[in-house]
Amino acid sequence: MSDIRRIDPGPRLSEASVFAGRIHCSGMIPEDLTQDIAGQTKQTLGEIDSLLARAGTDKTKILSAVIWLSDINDFAAMNKVWDAWAVAGQTPARA
């Protein structure tokens, strides 16, 4: 059986857990909440890229993504950044 590898474990959670070739990431948020939704989305997606690289994978292998917005009016601006980041033909299921 494969070993579980934890990335940045803390007292309550790990940033990610890797097991059997799969990575499970904790919720990702931007560092600078003063930026607009485009800036916050870029930060968050950059953090995801970094975490996936540390786990030995990349965004083309993401199976599913859940995005939470505090204001639905930010949906179009968030999607614009997402669309520039996502790899065509390799997009995950998304909610």
Side-chain angles (χ1 to χ4, degrees):
M1 180 154 96
S2 299
D3 291 323
I4 297 171
R5 181 167 63 104
R6 301 189 191 282
I7 299 174
D8 293 340
R12 291 191 181 89
L13 60 89
S14 296
E15 284 298 313
S17 299
V18 183
F19 177 74
R22 292 189 181 186
I23 177 173
H24 297 267
C25 301
S26 293
M28 306 298 290
I29 60 170
E31 291 290 325
D32 183 358
L33 298 175
T34 65
Q35 291 193 22
D36 64 9
I37 192 63
Q40 290 184 36
T41 302
K42 286 178 189 174
Q43 284 181 52
T44 303
L45 295 175
E47 289 294 320
I48 292 169
D49 281 334
S50 177
L51 187 57
L52 292 173
R54 291 176 63 196
T57 191
D58 63 61
K59 62 188 167 191
T60 65
K61 308 287 190 312
I62 297 174
L63 297 174
S64 177
V66 177
I67 300 170
W68 295 87
L69 294 173
S70 62
D71 186 343
I72 195 62
N73 292 314
D74 290 332
F75 189 63
M78 181 279 302
N79 269 331
K80 184 175 181 180
V81 175
W82 172 277
D83 291 345
W85 174 80
V87 177
Q90 302 295 317
T91 52
R94 197 181 92 172

